[in-house]
Amino acid sequence: MIETTGLGALLVIGLMFLVTLSTRLGGVFVMSYIPISYRVKQFIQAMSGSVLVAILAPMAVTGDNGARLALLSTAIVMLLVKKPLPAITVGIATAALYRML
Amino acid sequence: MPLNSNNIDPSKLPQLDKHLIWKGFLQLVPLSFFVIAFGIAFGLAAKQTGLSSTESMAMSTLVFAGASQFASLELWGPKVSLITILITVFAINARHLLMGATLYPWLQHLSPFKRYGVMFLASDANWAMSLQAFTQGKPGFGILVGGGLSLWLFWIFGTWVGLYFGNLISDPKQFGLDMVMGCFLLAMVVGGEKNIRMLVIWTVAASASLIAFWFLPENTHVVLGALAGGAVGIFWLNKKEESNSDD
C-alpha cells in the first residue's frame, strides 16, 4: 500500500505511465526478434481485426439496447456508405435518440 | 507540394514527414472532438475521486489510455495498492502489445529510434486507421503520429475542461457519447477485408473474448480474443495473398 498524499500519487501515476509505455513499445521489441515469415504475417493480419472484435463483443452483449442499436446502425451505414464518419455519427445519434425515448 | 500518397509503392509506405503527420492530425480531428467528451468525464471523475488538478492532468498527459485511467480511479483512495493498480493498468493496456506487433511489418523499415518513437502515442483509433491505410497501400505512420497527437491533445484538453467545468457533460451516456469508440472501432472492422476466412476469425475472436469476459480474470478478454483470432489465421492461410506478398 502506498499513501496518495503529496508525492505518493505522482509516483503511482509515474509508474502507470511506465507500465503503459512498456505495452506500447513491448510488442515492437518482441517482434524485432521474430522473423516475419508468411505464417507470422497471416497471424498478425488475423489478429489485427480480432483485437477490435474482442473489444466490441462484450460491449454488444452486456450493453443496453441503446448500445446495441448504435453498433447495429453503425455497421449498416458503414456497409452502405463505406465512410467511417457518417457511420459513427448515425451510431451515436441512434444511441442518444433511443435513450431519450 | 506534390502528393504521392496514391502511388502504391511498398518502399514508400513507411515514410514519415511533417506533411504526412499534419495530414494524419487533421484526419483524426473529427474523432478527437468526441474524445474531449471522454476527457471531460475523466477530469470530473478524477476530481470526485480526490485527485488534485496536477495529478489528474499528469495522468492524462503521461498515461493517455482512457479505459485504464478510469479503472485506476476505481482503485484509488487515501492509500492504494500499487501492485493492484499496475496489474490492472497492464491488463487493460496489454492490447497495445498486439498493436505494436501488427504494425511491425512496416515498422521494421524504420530506424530503431523512429520505430519506438512513433509508438509513444499509439492508441485504438489512430492504430486502427494507420493499419487500414497500410493495408490499402497508403503510408500510415503519419496517421499514427499525427492522429496520436490530435487524440492526445484533445484528451488532455478535455481532462482540463472536466476539472474546471465538469458539470457541462455530467452524463455522456445520455448523448450516446459512450459509444463513440465502439462505433468507430466497429466501422474499422466493417470497412476492412470481408470474406469467409475473416468471418470465421472474427467469430472465434468474439467467442473467445466473451468466454474470457465471463469466466476468466478481469481484463484478459481483449488479449485472449485477439490471440484466438490470430491463431485461426495461422492455420487457415489466406491463399490469395500468398502469391503477391512482398515483405
Side-chain angles (χ1 to χ4, degrees):
Chain A
M1 299 297 272
I2 186 165
E3 303 254 358
T4 52
T5 46
L7 287 177
L10 288 175
L11 177 71
V12 175
I13 292 164
L15 290 171
M16 284 171 64
F17 162 65
L18 290 179
V19 167
T20 307
L21 188 63
S22 76
T23 63
R24 288 195 164 106
L25 306 184
V28 183
F29 182 73
V30 171
M31 287 307 290
S32 62
Y33 291 97
I34 298 174
I36 308 271
S37 67
Y38 178 68
R39 220 166 258 275
V40 170
K41 250 184 105 178
Q42 291 290 300
F43 173 69
I44 287 172
Q45 185 248 357
M47 194 172 67
S48 59
S50 300
V51 177
L52 302 178
V53 174
I55 295 173
L56 289 165
M59 212 184 262
V61 173
T62 63
D64 64 337
N65 284 332
R68 288 181 193 143
L69 283 174
L71 294 174
L72 185 68
S73 53
T74 299
I76 293 170
V77 175
M78 189 63 197
L79 283 172
L80 294 176
V81 189
K82 297 188 167 57
K83 287 199 172 82
L85 270 182
I88 299 163
T89 312
V90 170
I92 295 161
T94 307
L97 209 67
Y98 177 85
R99 286 167 186 165
M100 223 179 276
L101 298 175
Chain B
M1 185 184 286
L3 263 181
N4 52 9
S5 56
N6 290 328
N7 299 349
I8 298 182
D9 175 359
S11 66
K12 288 238 170 80
L13 291 185
Q15 68 183 343
L16 182 64
D17 55 34
K18 271 185 201 159
H19 174 71
L20 286 172
I21 292 176
W22 177 240
K23 242 178 95 182
F25 182 89
L26 293 179
Q27 239 177 305
L28 264 291
V29 163
L31 189 77
S32 299
F33 271 107
F34 290 116
V35 169
I36 296 182
F38 287 114
I40 294 175
F42 175 74
L44 181 66
K47 190 176 164 186
Q48 287 166 347
T49 306
L51 271 79
S52 72
S53 301
T54 314
E55 289 155 7
S56 311
M57 291 300 282
M59 197 192 281
S60 281
T61 309
L62 293 172
V63 180
F64 178 50
S68 66
Q69 291 180 226
F70 275 106
S72 75
L73 295 183
E74 301 284 319
L75 302 168
W76 207 268
K79 281 184 176 182
V80 297
S81 161
L82 193 57
I83 297 295
T84 312
I85 282 205
L86 295 183
I87 288 178
T88 304
V89 168
F90 180 80
I92 295 176
N93 291 332
R95 67 186 189 288
H96 292 136
L97 291 165
L98 309 181
M99 294 180 187
T102 57
L103 287 174
Y104 196 76
W106 298 278
L107 284 167
Q108 63 179 340
H109 301 296
L110 299 178
S111 67
F113 178 74
K114 271 193 178 175
R115 191 185 301 161
Y116 291 106
V118 297
M119 287 301 294
F120 263 68
L121 294 177
S123 71
D124 299 316
N126 54 336
W127 162 74
M129 281 192 75
S130 114
L131 192 67
Q132 198 187 47
F134 279 127
T135 52
Q136 290 170 356
K138 297 175 193 160
F141 287 132
I143 298 173
L144 188 68
V145 176
L149 276 172
S150 166
L151 294 165
W152 183 59
L153 292 173
F154 282 74
W155 174 245
I156 297 170
F157 174 69
T159 304
W160 178 81
V161 175
L163 286 168
Y164 296 100
F165 312 96
N167 302 322
L168 285 178
I169 306 183
S170 54
D171 185 14
K173 230 183 137 168
Q174 192 194 332
F175 304 102
L177 290 173
D178 59 319
M179 295 309 295
V180 174
M181 227 7 109
C183 290
F184 173 80
L185 298 179
L186 184 64
M188 289 291 116
V189 175
V190 175
E193 192 190 345
K194 291 176 286 291
N195 52 41
I196 291 289
R197 176 173 174 268
M198 288 314 289
L199 202 66
V200 171
I201 288 170
W202 292 343
T203 309
V204 170
S207 313
S209 163
L210 286 173
I211 291 169
F213 184 79
W214 283 316
F215 303 111
L216 294 178
E218 264 185 271
N219 300 317
T220 55
H221 62 281
V222 175
V223 170
L224 289 175
L227 290 176
V232 176
I234 297 185
F235 295 110
W236 185 353
L237 298 173
N238 191 351
K239 297 245 165 51
K240 194 185 68 191
E241 260 186 34
E242 202 156 8
S243 49
N244 55 21
S245 85
D246 43 64
D247 39 4

